[in-house]
């Protein structure tokens, strides 16, 4: 409903906005978006206008109802809780003592590259935002969420660097112990 509060959208438009605007902190497939729109419609929180299209199925453009605005306001007043971490890579690091070190090193390097690439995309979006002389209020709030995405990705890159440094130092220490060097 937050996306629809800005302007009426089709499910496809909402999906694009997720990819372009909120993807740094919320993922949703098109299937999930359409499922949630159906639930919200049943609750009376959204309604749609059917727009005829030539050569394609008619498009449903959704907007938030008054009841939907009230529900969004009710939800907004609820306190938030931190999301628990569920991260496969952390379990792999924990299991690292029982596995060949080169496997974990390779995965850490791969993940570092993934997070670095995402960080660079977010930084490019931030640069584009900063070029807007007087951004609308909605864009200012979107930028704040983007900044959280930047910090998230930067933290991952930093953590990968930290773990790689520890593992590479351990690997060097083990080689020194085997050869007697120090």
């Amino acid at each position: 409903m937050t996306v629809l509060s800005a302007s009426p959208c089709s499910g496809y438009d909402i999906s694009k906005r997720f990819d372009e605007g909120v993807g740094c902190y919320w993922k949703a497939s098109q299937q999930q978006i359409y499922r949630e729109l159906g639930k919200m419609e049943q609750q009376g929180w959204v309604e749609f206008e059917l727009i005829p299209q030539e050569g394609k199925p008619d498009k449903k453009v959704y907007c938030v109802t008054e009841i939907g605005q009230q529900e969004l306001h009710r939800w907004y007043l609820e306190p938030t809780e931190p999301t628990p971490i569920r991260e496969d890579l952390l379990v792999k690091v924990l299991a690292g003592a029982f596995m060949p070190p080169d496997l974990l090193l390779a995965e850490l390097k791969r993940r570092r590259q993934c997070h670095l690439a995402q960080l660079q995309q977010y930084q490019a979006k931030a640069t584009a935002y900063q070029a807007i002389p007087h951004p609308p209020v909605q864009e200012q709030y979107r930028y704040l969420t983007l900044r959280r995405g930047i910090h998230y990705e930067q933290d991952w890159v930093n953590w990968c660097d930290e773990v790689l440094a520890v593992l590479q130092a351990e690997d060097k220490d083990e080689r020194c112990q085997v050869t007697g060097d120090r």
Side-chain angles (χ1 to χ4, degrees), residues 67-82:
I67 295 169
Q69 284 293 335
Q70 291 170 9
E71 175 59 21
L72 182 61
H73 185 78
R74 183 205 61 75
W75 168 82
Y76 195 81
L77 291 173
E78 291 179 0
T80 62
E81 296 297 329

Side-chain angles (χ1 to χ4, degrees), residues 93-172:
V93 169
L94 186 61
F98 313 110
M99 297 292 149
D102 58 321
L103 297 177
L104 183 56
L105 284 169
E107 179 58 11
L108 282 161
K109 289 175 184 176
R110 187 194 71 76
R111 277 295 292 272
R112 183 188 187 282
Q113 279 308 115
C114 291
H115 291 289
L116 184 60
Q118 190 64 64
L119 174 62
Q120 290 167 344
Q121 287 180 11
Y122 292 163
Q123 288 171 330
K125 286 181 179 185
T127 299
Y129 169 83
Q130 291 164 350
I132 302 170
H134 302 288
V137 172
Q138 185 179 356
E139 289 301 313
Q140 293 173 32
Y141 284 99
R142 182 173 287 133
Y143 177 72
L144 293 172
T145 63
L146 176 63
R147 292 291 307 152
R148 180 63 198 114
I150 289 170
H151 289 290
Y152 176 82
E153 297 300 339
Q154 184 64 63
D155 187 55
W156 266 107
V157 170
N158 293 344
W159 182 79
C160 287
D161 288 343
E162 181 181 338
V163 176
L164 285 166
V166 168
L167 295 177
Q168 290 166 341
E170 283 178 3
D171 188 39
K172 183 180 176 185

Side-chain angles (χ1 to χ4, degrees), residues 1 6 19 33 53 61 67 101 119 124-125 156:
M1 283 194 293
D19 291 342
I33 289 168
Q53 299 187 110
V61 176
I67 295 169
L119 174 62
K125 286 181 179 185
W156 266 107

Side-chain angles (χ1 to χ4, degrees), residues 10-139:
S10 69
Y12 175 77
D13 294 332
I14 292 171
S15 179
K16 280 180 49 179
R17 288 192 182 172
F18 263 72
D19 291 342
E20 296 167 358
V22 300
C24 65
Y25 60 90
W26 200 272
K27 302 288 184 206
S29 67
Q30 274 192 333
Q31 181 182 14
Q32 181 183 6
I33 289 168
Y34 285 110
R35 188 172 48 245
E36 293 301 318
L37 284 169
K39 289 178 188 176
M40 289 189 295
E41 182 189 357
Q42 287 177 350
Q43 297 282 346
W45 299 345
V46 299
E47 58 190 15
F48 66 86
E49 178 183 354
L50 206 54
I51 308 293
Q53 299 187 110
E54 287 190 35
K56 303 184 223 180
D58 294 343
K59 181 182 352 182
K60 291 181 179 181
V61 176
Y62 292 86
C63 65
V64 179
T65 64
E66 180 62 36
I67 295 169
Q69 284 293 335
Q70 291 170 9
E71 175 59 21
L72 182 61
H73 185 78
R74 183 205 61 75
W75 168 82
Y76 195 81
L77 291 173
E78 291 179 0
T80 62
E81 296 297 329
T83 304
I85 297 174
R86 282 185 52 102
E87 176 57 55
D88 293 349
L89 182 56
L90 295 177
V91 178
K92 288 186 177 191
V93 169
L94 186 61
F98 313 110
M99 297 292 149
D102 58 321
L103 297 177
L104 183 56
L105 284 169
E107 179 58 11
L108 282 161
K109 289 175 184 176
R110 187 194 71 76
R111 277 295 292 272
R112 183 188 187 282
Q113 279 308 115
C114 291
H115 291 289
L116 184 60
Q118 190 64 64
L119 174 62
Q120 290 167 344
Q121 287 180 11
Y122 292 163
Q123 288 171 330
K125 286 181 179 185
T127 299
Y129 169 83
Q130 291 164 350
I132 302 170
H134 302 288
V137 172
Q138 185 179 356
E139 289 301 313

